[in-house]
Amino acid sequence: MSIEAFDVEKVRKDFPILQQTVNGAPLVYLDNAATTQKPNAVIDAISHYYRHDNSNVHRGAHTLADRATAAFEGARQKVASFINAQTTDQVIWTRGTTEAINLVAASWGRQQLKQGDRILVSAMEHHSNIVPWQMVAQACGATVEAIPVDSSGTIDLKAYTELLDEHVRLVAVGHVSNALGSVNPVIEITRLAHEAGALVLVDGAQAVGHWPVDVQSLGCDFYVFSAHKLFGPTGVGVLYGKRDLLEAMPPYQGGGEMIESVSFKGTTYNKLPYKFEAGTPDIAGVIGLGAAVDYLNAMDRAGAARHEQALLEYAQKKAQGVSGLRVIGTASHKASVLSFVLDGVHPADLGTLMDQQGIAVRTGNHCAQPIMDQYGIPGTVRASFSFYNTFEEVDRLFAALEKAKQFLM
Ligand code: PLP
């Protein structure tokens, strides 16, 4: 069976923002690890909601409230089947990956952690998957320790195994590193953690936009991600958790929606998922995420993933030909992220000169300061590719880089 080529030009037409010039040149958007662009389907779903259905959810006794609630809860079903959650009420809406991790840290962590307990996070985690654990560890007398990462940006599984003992209560690890692109062996990491009696939270922020994720086959206890890195809107994220864990966890915030009944004698809490969803949620954002899921389900995701890998390989080959360029993150299994430094040039200066040529890349420590410290660098230039990027755009990236080099060196 022949594999049909992925039709990138057709896909690009779905993303209006890509059809513009920036600083006099056609936009080359290579900052997809920071946030992805939104297809018309998502923009239209949000606009339709505000134009026709805007109402608060769940409590209303009128048609608009019913429509808003149906769309809102319909999106939950879409997301549940998108990640293959066992049941829809294991999908909890949050503001994003960051809030989802903070929710688990504050709820599960404060209930469960005690003096002497240990939490392991990889050395390449985003700050969002370090700091919430440090905060709860400090409050409970637990410690947070780093799982070593080698110079290629690969988790040292032997060192990880040696760190595991009966005091490790949780392992929190990224599915894909935003700074390096490394794809971590989360199935193996989870299996080993479970053997040692620890739970596992996987930060899927950088994975969900690249390939289908199946939380049941990963086996992890919690999986978190942000809608805006999945072609959906900002302000919405997902916490998936195993049901028995979520049932046993106390609420994260108090307020409307998360209660069953309130009195001054005592308050009882709502069932899942509402127990964790205090206050009016980002209804339009959730509906937009549902539209993003529909969009992805309707596209050739295997073709998209192959296209992204081809872009990465092409870019990595081109990078080899640039004198003074060092790729940061050379793991054998990588998502489409090319992080690099150029001898004698500050990443921020390079970023500015690239922007002047219409190329959007990110520069800095990418909220992953510990791994930058390990490499002994303040930050990198990061080009992160999505399925709507083209080989011509990779050529433009490297042409712009050469031009910037001439200016800076
Ligand atoms: N984790 C990883 C791996 C990320 O790349 C990011 C964002 O860049 C986050 C967590 C935080 O996501 P958000 O800011 O959407 O909460």
Side-chain angles (χ1 to χ4, degrees):
M1 200 178 79
S2 71
I3 298 171
E4 268 187 45
F6 181 70
D7 193 346
V8 62
E9 289 308 328
K10 181 163 171 274
V11 164
R12 285 178 72 80
K13 294 199 179 86
D14 296 334
F15 292 82
I17 205 167
L18 300 177
Q19 331 293 328
Q20 66 177 300
T21 56
V22 167
N23 296 325
L27 169 66
V28 175
Y29 184 78
L30 302 178
D31 196 16
N32 294 289
T35 199
T36 52
Q37 297 303 348
K38 321 305 171 197
N40 282 316
V42 169
I43 298 165
D44 292 349
I46 294 169
S47 169
H48 179 93
Y49 165 73
Y50 279 125
R51 285 176 188 281
H52 301 282
D53 300 336
N54 177 50
S55 176
N56 213 327
V57 285
H58 298 139
R59 290 174 288 271
H62 58 82
T63 302
L64 294 195
D66 288 345
R67 277 197 230 142
T69 304
F72 180 80
E73 291 302 333
R76 201 188 305 268
Q77 280 166 13
K78 289 175 191 181
V79 169
S81 63
F82 186 67
I83 59 169
N84 195 29
Q86 293 89 337
T87 59
T88 303
D89 50 14
Q90 285 165 266
V91 169
I92 290 149
W93 303 128
T94 66
R95 284 192 296 122
T97 305
T98 304
E99 192 184 42
I101 296 172
N102 275 279
L103 191 165
V104 177
S107 171
W108 176 87
R110 280 181 185 265
Q111 184 194 52
Q112 293 289 327
L113 293 172
K114 56 184 187 317
Q115 188 77 29
D117 283 347
R118 302 166 66 213
I119 298 165
L120 303 183
V121 303
S122 94
M124 66 178 119
E125 291 312 303
H126 189 283
H127 298 160
S128 293
N129 204 20
I130 301 175
V131 182
W133 305 117
Q134 288 177 325
M135 289 164 64
V136 70
Q138 197 171 25
C140 300
T143 55
V144 178
E145 294 160 59
I147 305 166
V149 168
D150 72 16
S151 59
S152 73
T154 304
I155 285 187
D156 182 341
L157 279 180
K158 186 163 171 289
Y160 167 58
T161 311
E162 284 164 9
L163 280 171
L164 286 168
D165 68 13
E166 72 277 16
H167 298 292
V168 176
R169 302 291 311 283
L170 182 96
V171 176
V173 69
H175 201 162
V176 173
S177 158
N178 66 308
L180 312 176
S182 318
V183 179
N184 293 320
V186 287
I187 293 180
E188 179 74 345
I189 288 169
T190 300
R191 189 181 63 74
L192 290 165
H194 284 171
E195 275 173 22
L199 299 182
V200 176
L201 178 142
V202 176
D203 171 355
Q206 294 294 337
V208 283
H210 293 298
W211 60 77
V213 165
D214 178 335
V215 289
Q216 292 193 58
S217 70
L218 296 181
C220 57
D221 301 285
F222 302 105
Y223 196 93
V224 297
F225 59 95
S226 302
H228 72 97
K229 294 182 199 281
L230 189 66
F231 315 98
T234 52
V236 173
V238 170
L239 163 65
Y240 155 84
K242 284 195 179 153
R243 188 180 197 91
D244 55 337
L245 293 167
L246 293 174
E247 297 274 17
M249 282 160 53
Y252 165 57
Q253 292 180 332
E257 197 68 25
M258 52 72 72
I259 51 85
E260 184 187 55
S261 78
V262 178
S263 83
F264 288 106
K265 289 200 204 90
T267 289
T268 55
Y269 305 128
N270 207 339
K271 59 185 193 229
L272 289 177
Y274 311 112
K275 180 172 80 171
F276 294 110
E277 294 179 358
T280 300
D282 183 348
I283 302 163
V286 163
I287 291 168
L289 171 57
V293 165
D294 284 343
Y295 177 80
L296 289 168
N297 283 339
M299 85 181 297
D300 170 16
R301 284 208 90 189
R306 278 195 305 274
H307 176 69
E308 287 180 2
Q309 280 298 310
L311 290 173
L312 176 68
E313 280 165 31
Y314 184 62
Q316 288 184 154
K317 210 164 273 167
K318 290 207 113 173
Q320 282 168 8
V322 180
S323 67
L325 185 151
R326 178 161 66 110
V327 174
I328 303 296
T330 51
S332 58
H333 192 188
K334 275 182 65 172
S336 46
V337 172
L338 184 75
S339 234
F340 60 90
V341 290
L342 205 52
D343 276 350
V345 176
H346 197 282
D349 294 339
L350 206 49
T352 305
L353 289 171
M354 306 290 268
D355 179 53
Q356 285 172 7
Q357 301 175 73
I359 319 274
V361 289
R362 185 144 298 242
T363 63
N365 66 29
H366 314 296
C367 297
Q369 228 176 303
I371 198 68
M372 295 294 133
D373 289 347
Q374 180 174 321
Y375 281 102
I377 51 176
T380 71
V381 177
R382 182 186 69 189
S384 49
F385 308 104
S386 186
F387 52 69
Y388 43 60
N389 291 123
T390 66
F391 293 95
E392 294 73 41
E393 288 182 319
V394 177
D395 289 339
R396 289 241 347 251
L397 166 72
F398 282 93
L401 190 60
E402 288 299 344
K403 210 162 160 191
K405 264 178 76 179
Q406 280 167 17
F407 186 83
L408 289 166
M409 294 171 106

